[in-house]
Amino acid sequence: MAKSKDLSKLRKIQPKMRMIENGSSEVNGMRAQMSAALSTDRAVTARITELSKTKLARHRAKKGQQKRVPADVLVNVFIHTTNGQQIDLPQKKKVFRETGNRGTLRTMTLPLNKVRQLAAAPNVVHVEMGDPLAAPTPEVSPERPKAPEPSLRSFGSDAMHGSGKDVLIGIIDVQGFDFSHPDFLDDNGRTRWLAIWDQGAESGVTPKRFKYGAELTHDDLNQAISASANLHVPPWELEPQSQMVPGSHGTHVASVAAGNRGICRKSKIAGVLVSLPKEDIERRRSFYDSTRIAHAVDYLVDLAKEKDLALSINVSLGTNGHAHDASSAISRWIDYAMTTPGRCISVAAGNAGQEQPAFQGDLGYVMGRIHTSGKIAARGLNNDLEWMVIGNGRMDVSENELEIWYSPQDRFQVSLRTPSGDWLPAVDPGEFLQNRQLPDGTFVSIYNELYHPANGANYIALYLSPFLSSEGVIGVKPGQWTVRLVGVEVRDGRYHGWIERDDPRRVGRVGDRDGWRFPSFFSERSNVDDSSVSSLACGMRVLSVANLDFAKERIHITSSQGPTRDGRFKPDVAAPGTDIVAAKGFAGPDDLWISMTGTSMASPYVCGIAGLMLGAEKTLTAAQIEGIVQRTASPLPGKSFSWINDAGFGRIEPEECLKEAARINKRKELR
């Protein structure tokens, strides 16, 4: 076990990155198939789906650090700097590829073996990997619905809707944007999409500020629409995107926010398609982490500025990494961007609200048991947290991550008991245990860190990693892992913990079992059914949106709950997100509409309302829009005007929001 004096040398580097440094090129090549912020072009000798369980004796991990940190694995990082100035780096600067900057934050793509060199730069405070983005998980109705009635999403006067023409609705999403769907065509048959930045494209013209992906311009899209009739092929096949999934999530979300049957119907639309490949072999070469959200926000900000448009952004993706207190790098990045008037961003609260099965065989609770909290009352007392990994014929080949955040006033010791009943050595404050291989093959890393640079809090990070090798893969030991927190010094005693979610999907047979990337979860006893709002939706200047079942006048069972770790009121508001009919992308002219349920559908509803508000008064700030939305919301039946953890301040009232924005505009004109 490393002592605190060793840890202090590495304090500028995020623990997860230090753990990954200790993996070989082969291990990290396979890890890149499952890690959003890693990529490699190195040929992995075998895919996980082609591997079978082998004898552990042949593959014991070497103790200590790798002699050489891999140079053929790239990593995406956020860099916290002292002054926001360019980082002073030594020779071979071209390997340190800066990809963005905002305020005191910068993003960079660099080889894994250069991270310590980066951290040693004089003006670097802290380096952290981008957080993984979870794939959206809306419920999709099997029925083929009729087109939604335009009147369902028509609010305020025609003049208010007309003002939306001076607004850009920006959609950051996945699965592709069907720009030629009738819901996005104007009266002349031209698309209302100004541009699409496909971050996963491997060819094409890149956007001005960025050196990856490809940008499809307004002219490109309309030329494809014009040519498609003569060529008898869909326009999106003439201007293909890296993802074009029938029933596309991104197309549906854009339709709610700004389609012809959506909310902000006169606006311009732009999309950023985040790379989220389905195949492991493609994920190995792709980035799909929170740095990509940062770049997407900057791209949309630049486009709106170039076109002299107000900007309302929607993000229906999420992550549970970091402290859920707006101190994460991506939250700070977005908050910086939203300080300028004429901008707003809506973020889905998440679909982690369910804690119990709703019916026999329902596994929805697995996605909901992500949060725990409690209090250690005094020195010498302890609390146990039950952390569950799946079994029953399945093998979990993903990395499972649990972060526990607590007051800097306190000192906690942490211990871990395996499903076999064996306790690992206790890890004291300021110490760590890294890449310890257990007899069952699982690798365990535990970091007990003091004074995180972003928020000053203490935190404990635990990782359960599978055994990865070209000769064999052994999944994480299934069963109950017990995390014991012991009070060493207690002044406050409170703590919160979150499990970072995997993107649940089957990866194929691994020996005699099914290999899965499957989310671990808390037991019923340890789960605490609040503060499950996505970390991305905890930002200071984001509109965090819950899923309202409008027909039943209640919050949907899966909608995530607040508050944030620092006690702020998120979600802000609830909007219709249940059984929402909107455009079905890439499905053909006879199959145009699809019904989905989730906070992913509620958030663009609010994004569209915010767009109309900005159309009424372009100088509104994100903070003002948030205040108006909170002030005008109406309580659900039986509730008061007080904030509640699942509905925020209540149901959004679109017409009241628009009237209040118009009043601000009128007061401004009278000055």
Side-chain angles (χ1 to χ4, degrees):
M1 190 181 302
K3 301 297 182 182
S4 56
K5 64 178 181 179
D6 299 318
L7 187 62
S8 65
K9 298 177 183 178
L10 305 175
R11 67 185 182 276
K12 288 186 175 183
I13 302 174
Q14 180 189 34
K16 187 174 185 178
M17 201 177 312
R18 302 203 298 266
M19 177 188 76
I20 290 173
E21 274 189 317
N22 198 31
S24 66
S25 290
E26 179 186 46
V27 167
N28 282 321
M30 299 182 73
R31 180 181 262 140
Q33 295 177 192
M34 301 176 288
S35 182
L38 292 181
S39 80
T40 180
D41 283 325
R42 180 179 182 274
V44 179
T45 55
R47 292 174 61 191
I48 289 176
T49 54
E50 298 165 351
L51 298 173
S52 59
K53 187 173 180 179
T54 56
K55 294 182 179 179
L56 277 173
R58 296 172 55 195
H59 306 298
R60 287 291 180 188
K62 295 178 181 179
K63 294 182 179 180
Q65 290 290 114
Q66 290 285 326
K67 292 181 179 179
R68 292 184 180 179
V69 176
D72 51 3
V73 174
L74 298 178
V75 60
N76 263 356
V77 297
F78 284 101
I79 308 157
H80 301 251
T81 67
T82 56
N83 51 17
Q85 300 300 310
Q86 187 169 351
I87 299 167
D88 185 17
L89 292 165
Q91 72 279 2
K92 297 183 179 179
K93 290 185 179 181
K94 63 181 181 180
V95 304
F96 298 90
R97 183 163 61 86
E98 186 171 301
T99 52
N101 63 84
R102 186 166 290 281
T104 58
L105 290 168
R106 306 179 96 83
T107 58
M108 187 175 286
T109 302
L110 72 161
L112 191 59
N113 69 335
K114 299 297 182 183
V115 171
R116 297 197 184 195
Q117 199 171 328
L118 171 65
N123 64 331
V124 169
V125 177
H126 184 61
V127 180
E128 63 181 81
M129 289 174 60
D131 289 319
L133 299 175
T137 56
E139 298 176 18
V140 181
S141 171
E143 300 176 359
R144 184 177 292 188
K146 296 179 181 179
E149 290 292 332
S151 60
L152 290 176
R153 298 172 192 149
S154 181
F155 313 105
S157 66
D158 290 340
M160 286 179 174
H161 279 274
S163 66
K165 69 182 187 302
D166 297 322
V167 174
L168 177 65
I169 297 294
I171 307 295
I172 303 172
D173 220 296
V174 295
Q175 299 184 349
F177 302 113
D178 186 350
F179 59 88
S180 60
H181 191 286
D183 206 36
F184 304 122
L185 301 181
D186 63 19
D187 294 339
N188 298 314
R190 294 170 61 83
T191 186
R192 291 168 49 216
W193 290 77
L194 284 186
I196 296 172
W197 177 23
D198 182 358
Q199 293 185 340
E202 296 184 355
S203 62
V205 179
T206 60
K208 294 176 184 177
R209 278 183 58 185
F210 305 97
K211 304 301 181 184
Y212 66 94
E215 183 179 41
L216 303 177
T217 67
H218 188 61
D219 288 342
D220 294 333
L221 302 178
N222 281 315
Q223 286 173 14
I225 291 172
S226 297
S228 66
N230 293 329
L231 297 174
H232 303 291
V233 294
W236 38 266
E237 286 191 5
L238 299 177
E239 286 290 356
Q241 299 159 53
S242 59
Q243 304 165 59
M244 295 186 293
V245 178
S248 153
H249 188 270
T251 300
H252 190 277
V253 164
S255 175
V256 174
N260 295 333
R261 295 173 182 263
I263 305 292
C264 200
R265 306 177 185 192
K266 302 297 182 181
S267 69
K268 312 298 189 297
I269 312 170
V272 180
L273 180 56
V274 177
S275 177
L276 196 64
K278 295 183 69 174
E279 298 297 325
D280 288 343
I281 198 70
E282 292 301 318
R283 287 192 178 217
R284 175 172 58 84
R285 302 169 59 215
S286 298
F287 288 116
Y288 49 99
D289 61 277
S290 54
T291 66
R292 294 324 207 200
I293 297 288
H295 299 162
V297 168
D298 283 1
Y299 171 82
L300 294 169
V301 164
D302 288 349
L303 184 61
K305 190 182 301 183
E306 176 188 333
K307 303 296 183 181
D308 192 26
L309 298 170
L311 175 63
S312 181
I313 299 174
N314 184 79
V315 184
S316 287
L317 304 170
T319 174
N320 280 318
H322 220 272
H324 292 67
D325 61 1
S327 66
S328 69
I330 183 58
S331 288
R332 290 176 57 192
W333 193 288
I334 291 173
D335 285 343
Y336 278 133
M338 293 300 116
T339 56
T340 300
R343 300 174 188 170
C344 183
I345 188 166
S346 303
V347 179
N351 301 320
Q354 184 176 347
E355 61 171 336
Q356 298 287 350
F359 51 85
Q360 189 172 2
D362 178 24
L363 294 177
Y365 71 90
V366 170
M367 300 303 295
R369 292 182 185 172
I370 65 165
H371 170 251
T372 192
S373 62
K375 183 173 183 177
I376 297 178
R379 178 179 179 179
L381 300 182
N382 63 73
N383 284 358
D384 284 353
L385 310 177
E386 296 170 354
W387 186 12
M388 313 301 294
V389 173
I390 64 159
N392 298 327
R394 298 185 181 95
M395 177 187 291
D396 185 3
V397 296
S398 61
E399 290 191 305
N400 296 275
E401 177 181 350
L402 167 60
E403 291 185 359
I404 300 166
W405 295 81
Y406 65 103
S407 169
Q409 294 179 296
D410 297 326
R411 296 292 181 269
F412 293 169
Q413 182 191 76
V414 58
S415 300
L416 183 66
R417 183 170 60 193
T418 73
S420 302
D422 301 318
W423 284 98
L424 300 185
V427 179
D428 289 322
E431 296 188 354
F432 67 93
L433 181 153
Q434 183 168 274
N435 287 342
R436 170 72 65 88
Q437 188 179 21
L438 306 184
D440 56 50
T442 305
F443 282 86
V444 173
S445 296
I446 304 173
Y447 301 85
N448 197 343
E449 303 264 295
L450 303 176
Y451 308 122
H452 191 282
N455 58 12
N458 298 336
Y459 77 109
I460 295 166
L462 303 99
Y463 302 92
L464 306 177
S465 303
F467 177 84
L468 300 174
S469 165
S470 61
E471 298 180 48
V473 169
I474 301 174
V476 175
K477 176 73 172 179
Q480 177 181 304
W481 296 76
T482 302
V483 179
R484 175 164 291 174
L485 302 178
V486 180
V488 176
E489 183 176 351
V490 178
R491 299 179 182 178
D492 179 87
R494 291 173 293 177
Y495 62 85
H496 287 266
W498 287 273
I499 295 172
E500 179 57 83
R501 305 323 306 264
D502 301 313
D503 172 10
R505 60 193 176 89
R506 185 177 182 271
V507 298
R509 297 294 291 180
V510 183
D512 59 353
R513 290 193 286 172
D514 274 342
W516 278 79
R517 286 189 60 195
F518 201 85
S520 55
F521 55 97
F522 288 117
S523 70
E524 182 178 359
R525 174 177 171 272
S526 293
N527 183 68
V528 176
D529 192 34
D530 60 21
S531 299
S532 56
V533 167
S534 159
S535 183
L536 194 64
C538 289
M540 293 283 186
R541 293 281 74 90
V542 306
L543 275 169
S544 177
V545 187
N547 173 6
L548 171 66
D549 185 334
F550 188 80
K552 296 180 179 178
E553 296 188 279
R554 66 187 186 196
I555 301 301
H556 194 274
I557 187 175
T558 62
S559 191
S560 293
Q561 302 155 353
T564 65
R565 188 184 72 88
D566 53 333
R568 286 178 296 109
F569 294 150
K570 299 292 176 181
D572 293 282
V573 72
T578 303
D579 297 325
I580 303 301
V581 177
K584 183 175 184 179
F586 310 112
D590 299 323
D591 191 10
L592 293 175
W593 308 99
I594 189 171
S595 177
M596 296 186 185
T597 294
T599 56
S600 286
M601 288 64 250
S603 184
Y605 188 102
V606 174
C607 171
I609 298 301
L612 292 176
M613 293 168 69
L614 286 168
E617 176 46 60
K618 190 175 181 178
T619 65
L620 286 174
T621 65
Q624 287 177 308
I625 292 173
E626 182 181 17
I628 291 171
V629 166
Q630 292 180 356
R631 156 70 180 176
T632 57
S634 62
L636 295 180
K639 306 298 181 182
S640 71
F641 285 101
S642 299
W643 179 89
I644 52 177
N645 70 349
D646 61 350
F649 286 95
R651 176 176 54 207
I652 191 168
E653 292 294 346
E655 289 199 40
E656 295 304 314
C657 288
L658 300 184
K659 288 176 183 177
E660 198 67 14
R663 288 189 191 103
I664 290 177
N665 177 270
K666 188 172 182 179
R667 285 196 292 267
K668 181 182 173 184
E669 290 177 349
L670 293 174
R671 288 174 188 166

